[in-house]
Amino acid sequence: MKLARLSGLVSILTVSVVNAADLQSSPYAPVEVPCDASIQLVRKADGLSQNETDWLEKRDSHTQDALRNFLESATSNFSNNSLISRLFSDNSNAPRVAVACSGGGYRAMLSGAGMIAAMDDRTEGANEHGLGGLLQATTYLAGLSGGSWLVGSLAYNNWTSVQDIINHTSEANSIWNITASLASPGGTNSTLTNETWSIIMSDVISKQQAGYPVTITDYWGRALSYGFFPNAADGGVAYQWSSLRDNNIFRNGEMPFPISVADFRSPNTVTTYSNSTIFEFNPFEMGSWDENLHAFTDLKYLGTNVFNGVPITKGKCVTGFDNVGFVVGTSSSLFSPIMSPAIGILLNEGPLATVFAKAMGNDSNDVANYSPNPFRGIDLGYNSTASFSSDDYLYLADGGEDGETIPLAPLLQKEREVDIIFAFDNSADTPNGWPNGSALINTYKRQFTPQGRGMPFPHIPSSDEFVQLHLNERPVFFGCDANDLSDLDHVPPLVIYVPNAYHSFNSNQSTFKLAYDERERLGLIRNGFEATTRGNLTEDVRFRGCVACAIMRRQQERLNEPLPEECAKCFTDYCWDNKASNVTGNAWSNSSYTLSSTSGSTITLTPTSSAGSSSTSSASFAHNTSTLQNAAWRSGQTTYNIRPLVVMVCLFVVVSCNI
Ligand SMILES: *[C@@H]1O[C@H](CO)[C@@H](O)[C@H](O)[C@H]1NC(C)=O
Ligand SMILES: *[C@@H]1O[C@H](CO)[C@@H](O)[C@H](O)[C@H]1NC(C)=O
Ligand SMILES: *[C@@H]1O[C@H](CO)[C@@H](O)[C@H](O)[C@H]1NC(C)=O
Ligand SMILES: *[C@@H]1O[C@H](CO)[C@@H](O)[C@H](O)[C@H]1NC(C)=O
Ligand SMILES: *[C@@H]1O[C@H](CO)[C@@H](O)[C@H](O)[C@H]1NC(C)=O
Ligand SMILES: *[C@@H]1O[C@H](CO)[C@@H](O)[C@H](O)[C@H]1NC(C)=O
Ligand SMILES: *[C@@H]1O[C@H](CO)[C@@H](O)[C@H](O)[C@H]1NC(C)=O
Ligand SMILES: *[C@@H]1O[C@H](CO)[C@@H](O)[C@H](O)[C@H]1NC(C)=O
Ligand SMILES: *[C@@H]1O[C@H](CO)[C@@H](O)[C@H](O)[C@H]1NC(C)=O
Ligand SMILES: *[C@@H]1O[C@H](CO)[C@@H](O)[C@H](O)[C@H]1NC(C)=O
Ligand SMILES: *[C@@H]1O[C@H](CO)[C@@H](O)[C@H](O)[C@H]1NC(C)=O
Ligand SMILES: *[C@@H]1O[C@H](CO)[C@@H](O)[C@H](O)[C@H]1NC(C)=O
């Protein structure tokens, strides 16, 4: 494939002056293909797709052996690890592992790479002083924004390893060579920069000329792809998310199920955890589990003009829309009105500045446009929001825009039967660019909203306490005891939270840093490895055994088997739970909040400085107050408006009523 190289950039910046004859069609442009006349592209999200179910059977046979090996080696010092043979005596008892990689630009991609490497038996040292083998035991691998760059880079480079990328890092065309800024891919060679951008523009214009509206996300995704697929023609222009179905490694279940997450967002609007519609892209489908859509479409045929899942032109479908760069670009499309000035300043170099400036002037350009809307005309007898069925366009944006920067939603679906989630948090929440648990808190709160119904998540402290208790400095387990989770919809997976924290490199780099030299890249990867392994097990040699305890926990509870005695100490050291406990060094009880004022029906609580002191609530509110105190330390919300009749319901579903 050879693309037209246009003589001057300026001439193609104005689309209207491009003569169609000057442009050869790019594989980036979707094309029409024949398809079955009776094809139905949309289904209701009332369970896993048959294809996913079939695939899981293949994956399970690989993960179960890998997990058993990991658990046996990690517990070889235990006084009694007979629980393992009990768990693997029957396929349905084997724990299922998932990994979620947060957003945060290249920082999240690289730090997350180190975290994944810590679990990969292909990484040097991972089996000796890490969690090597767990990636081989992982069923689902979700990524969002920078995390989806990571997942996409590995999955669509033939399931390469981080170690392999490191091994080749000083060779030409190495994966993740982001030494030069995204804006100037040629580095000091401005001819090369101009040429690359000229190709990118030809690609995007080619899609537009085929009749598909394009936005800034198209340019963004194409530009990013050169760093992920340097060996493929034109930065992987022909790679499609659905193409994994034809890859033997995926088909045979020899790699996890990759998922990229995005949020529905109309142009120039904002979304929060309480009103977001979370979309997932997996190798078979894209769509949402959330109540207001609750449908999936076959993503191979995105771009097909449909009504209620049926192509308008019978027997004609479209393929080539699900470009890998476009999918991960969508997941990281953070060009919201709030973010764009920062992006604008950072991209204020080279031809990209012009492209972006032009693109930002267009109304719908702060999002990705999935047009024609694959859900148009859906009538699934469900509570879908009318616009999903009536709009011509479907707009998607960065998966973290609703504050849930770790892609947990797909892993909380009951049908996926996940027992343990490794939540890699490379968010920048604090003023210094470290995480403070906000991503978990937002996911926790969402379960109490209509949108999050049926997606329970373990109890999480407020972000202030998260930081005070140093929960953002080393791995923490959430939801260790199913008995403490009985107030939720059902028992959620146990979560092993791994925050980005300093070990050997200042890994709190800006989300908007768009160039990393080799030293920085390797530094971030190494630091991520160390953050996941408690400094290569030097800070706690028992950590691997403790991870094994957490992995076995849910099934051990279900089977009502005894827990190996070593696990009790592990849970004391690593679990945060909502019982009063000094596990993490601080007293923790609902008296951490004191009722400080009541005015009409509004109650305000303030954190008590000395935890454990008794509440000063007035007698008439005494009963409700203790529940409110609970609510306050769970959610961080300190002002509550009491409405007498609904109060008991609202107290139970803490946030949804916004009491
Ligand atoms: C190990 O624990 C199992 C219960 O999980 C018990 O049946 C078995 O007797 C124990 N083995 C030893 C050697 O104590
Ligand atoms: C920890 O292990 C990783 C991977 O083996 C290695 O790159 C790193 O240098 C080690 N860190 C220390 C402090 O030894
Ligand atoms: C992927 O791996 C398979 C098997 O190792 C190999 O045959 C194939 O050429 C590889 N494809 C790419 C694109 O590297
Ligand atoms: C990385 O290189 C080392 C030797 O330098 C080799 O032993 C190892 O197998 C390579 N790892 C991968 C995953 O390619
Ligand atoms: C990485 O990219 C930079 C800038 O484009 C280039 O100068 C350098 O040679 C590349 N490194 C390798 C190992 O190819
Ligand atoms: C690259 O394009 C810019 C305009 O975007 C132009 O000013 C510059 O001269 C070009 N560089 C080369 C080497 O063509
Ligand atoms: C700059 O890139 C162009 C196009 O790839 C290439 O022909 C030229 O040799 C490069 N110049 C230098 C100094 O590397
Ligand atoms: C979501 O909620 C936020 C905050 O309440 C609001 O500003 C925004 O308009 C809402 N978005 C939608 C799509 O309803
Ligand atoms: C599911 O698998 C069947 C058989 O391989 C295939 O024809 C179909 O296109 C797949 N559908 C999706 C949505 O992946
Ligand atoms: C639609 O929403 C209503 C009210 O929230 C709920 O009672 C009902 O179960 C929902 N319908 C379906 C099919 O989920
Ligand atoms: C296992 O026990 C031996 C001997 O007590 C000790 O040296 C080693 O560090 C332990 N390993 C782990 C992973 O706990
Ligand atoms: C809690 O702290 C007290 C006093 O510091 C200590 O005696 C006790 O063992 C601790 N409990 C746990 C579960 O760590």
Side-chain angles (χ1 to χ4, degrees):
M1 175 228 26
K2 190 81 194 133
L3 286 158
R5 306 248 160 146
L6 299 169
S7 49
L9 264 172
V10 179
S11 68
I12 59 166
L13 287 175
T14 311
V15 173
S16 57
V17 306
V18 176
N19 183 345
D22 290 348
L23 284 168
Q24 290 166 37
S25 180
S26 149
Y28 191 69
V31 293
E32 203 173 81
V33 296
C35 60
D36 200 295
S38 62
I39 200 163
Q40 170 53 255
L41 295 172
V42 173
R43 71 172 183 100
K44 185 168 159 174
D46 54 3
L48 301 183
S49 67
Q50 188 58 44
N51 290 11
E52 181 172 338
T53 305
D54 295 346
W55 179 87
L56 281 171
E57 215 170 289
K58 293 188 190 139
R59 182 62 182 157
D60 283 348
S61 68
H62 293 282
T63 55
Q64 287 176 14
D65 290 345
L67 190 57
R68 187 172 186 152
N69 288 340
F70 173 84
L71 294 174
E72 270 166 2
S73 120
T75 61
S76 57
N77 269 7
F78 283 17
S79 51
N80 183 345
N81 67 1
S82 68
L83 175 61
I84 297 174
S85 38
R86 180 77 178 82
L87 294 183
F88 291 90
S89 61
D90 165 350
N91 284 352
S92 63
N93 292 334
R96 185 170 277 170
V97 182
V99 173
C101 303
S102 83
Y106 284 135
R107 174 192 68 244
M109 176 180 89
L110 295 166
S111 176
M115 293 173 172
I116 282 191
M119 297 174 72
D120 190 343
D121 67 10
R122 298 170 293 180
T123 310
E124 283 165 35
N127 301 330
E128 295 74 32
H129 50 254
L131 305 176
L134 275 182
L135 188 62
Q136 283 64 36
T138 295
T139 301
Y140 293 105
L141 176 59
L144 175 160
S145 202
S148 96
W149 304 349
L150 165 60
V151 170
S153 296
L154 299 178
Y156 292 88
N157 276 304
N158 230 350
W159 190 235
T160 188
S161 61
V162 173
Q163 182 69 57
D164 196 59
I165 294 175
I166 293 173
N167 277 8
H168 295 100
T169 202
S170 50
E171 291 167 24
N173 290 336
S174 49
I175 297 169
W176 296 344
N177 180 356
I178 48 172
T179 299
S181 166
L182 183 73
S184 327
T188 51
N189 184 341
S190 75
T191 307
L192 182 56
T193 291
N194 285 5
E195 272 183 16
T196 307
W197 272 102
S198 166
I199 295 170
I200 291 171
M201 287 188 220
S202 309
D203 293 337
V204 176
I205 291 166
S206 188
K207 174 174 173 182
Q208 187 175 47
Q209 288 185 333
Y212 301 90
V214 298
T215 71
I216 197 164
T217 306
D218 290 271
Y219 295 99
W220 175 244
R222 290 297 311 117
L224 286 166
S225 298
Y226 281 82
F228 308 152
F229 310 112
N231 294 302
D234 186 9
V237 70
Y239 283 16
Q240 280 140 30
W241 200 259
S242 57
S243 66
L244 221 49
R245 298 177 199 177
D246 306 319
N247 177 296
N248 281 331
I249 300 173
F250 177 75
R251 284 159 71 106
N252 299 337
E254 291 163 11
M255 62 176 280
F257 195 74
I259 299 176
S260 177
V261 167
D263 284 347
F264 170 76
R265 183 167 71 71
S266 295
N268 306 307
T269 64
V270 296
T271 181
T272 72
Y273 70 85
S274 63
N275 65 14
S276 58
T277 307
I278 301 175
F279 275 71
E280 74 168 59
F281 291 74
N282 69 53
F284 301 118
E285 299 181 311
M286 77 84 96
S288 179
W289 298 93
D290 294 350
E291 179 133 328
N292 67 334
L293 178 57
H294 207 70
F296 284 98
T297 186
D298 183 343
L299 95 162
K300 182 176 180 179
Y301 297 113
L302 282 175
T304 306
N305 193 8
V306 293
F307 191 85
N308 200 13
V310 176
I312 301 280
T313 313
K314 286 230 162 0
K316 292 229 165 89
C317 291
V318 165
T319 59
F321 194 106
D322 59 323
N323 176 276
V324 173
F326 186 56
V327 170
V328 302
T330 299
S331 179
S332 58
S333 192
L334 40 58
F335 306 103
S336 70
I338 303 156
M339 296 303 217
S340 55
I343 290 271
I345 291 161
L346 278 139
L347 294 180
N348 194 16
E349 48 173 311
L352 193 56
T354 325
V355 175
F356 278 50
K358 186 178 163 58
M360 296 310 288
N362 176 329
D363 268 357
S364 63
N365 250 319
D366 64 331
V367 295
N369 193 343
Y370 284 71
S371 163
N373 171 11
F375 300 104
R376 201 163 67 89
I378 54 166
D379 177 16
L380 301 169
Y382 217 77
N383 287 329
S384 40
T385 302
S387 63
F388 281 123
S389 125
S390 61
D391 288 357
D392 291 337
Y393 301 149
L394 173 67
Y395 294 117
L396 300 179
D398 191 291
E401 286 197 17
D402 64 349
E404 296 179 81
T405 45
I406 308 176
L408 294 161
L411 311 176
L412 299 176
Q413 303 308 320
K414 196 174 188 180
E415 293 84 352
R416 285 191 163 138
E417 298 178 344
V418 171
D419 294 299
I420 181 105
I421 300 176
F422 287 80
F424 293 154
D425 194 356
N426 293 295
S427 312
D429 303 318
T430 71
N432 292 331
W434 304 106
N436 69 4
S438 294
L440 300 183
I441 293 163
N442 288 324
T443 300
Y444 170 76
K445 289 178 176 177
R446 191 175 198 264
Q447 69 186 310
F448 304 114
T449 72
Q451 282 297 80
R453 194 174 300 165
M455 298 172 222
F457 194 73
H459 302 294
I460 301 291
S462 72
S463 52
D464 286 348
E465 282 136 344
F466 214 95
V467 174
Q468 273 166 28
L469 299 175
H470 309 287
L471 305 184
N472 62 342
E473 290 171 13
R474 65 169 179 86
V476 183
F477 304 167
F478 291 100
C480 288
D481 191 345
N483 294 323
D484 292 343
L485 304 169
S486 54
D487 57 333
L488 307 180
D489 185 87
H490 58 267
V491 176
L494 195 155
V495 174
I496 296 187
Y497 175 71
V498 180
N500 178 24
Y502 178 83
H503 282 264
S504 55
F505 191 81
N506 286 322
S507 52
N508 55 338
Q509 300 290 321
S510 163
T511 303
F512 302 107
K513 180 172 156 68
L514 294 177
Y516 282 82
D517 65 26
E518 191 175 323
R519 187 192 62 89
E520 295 171 317
R521 297 198 296 271
L522 296 177
L524 269 163
I525 293 174
R526 174 181 159 180
N527 192 78
F529 185 105
E530 292 163 352
T532 311
T533 56
R534 301 233 52 204
N536 296 2
L537 306 184
T538 58
E539 288 160 29
D540 182 0
V541 70
R542 297 167 312 114
F543 182 61
R544 232 155 70 92
C546 291
V547 167
C549 292
I551 291 172
M552 296 189 290
R553 177 63 165 163
R554 280 287 177 271
Q555 293 293 24
Q556 170 263 324
E557 288 173 318
R558 273 179 210 126
L559 296 169
N560 206 16
E561 288 282 321
L563 191 66
E565 61 176 300
E566 289 79 1
C567 293
K569 168 98 173 83
C570 283
F571 289 169
T572 305
D573 289 349
Y574 288 99
C575 293
W576 182 86
D577 63 40
N578 58 341
K579 283 185 302 201
S581 136
N582 53 0
V583 157
T584 42
N586 275 18
W588 220 171
S589 75
N590 57 14
S591 50
S592 302
Y593 278 90
T594 307
L595 176 146
S596 61
S597 71
T598 57
S599 149
S601 58
T602 303
I603 289 192
T604 304
L605 300 107
T606 45
T608 3
S609 43
S610 62
S613 73
S614 67
S615 151
T616 56
S617 59
S618 65
S620 59
F621 280 99
H623 175 75
N624 291 344
T625 301
S626 75
T627 316
L628 288 176
Q629 286 166 328
N630 261 302
W633 66 253
R634 279 186 194 172
S635 68
Q637 183 178 336
T638 51
T639 305
Y640 293 89
N641 200 2
I642 301 300
R643 288 188 296 263
L645 281 175
V646 292
V647 82
M648 285 319 293
V649 179
C650 291
L651 289 172
F652 186 63
V653 285
V654 176
V655 200
S656 71
C657 303
N658 209 14
I659 51 177

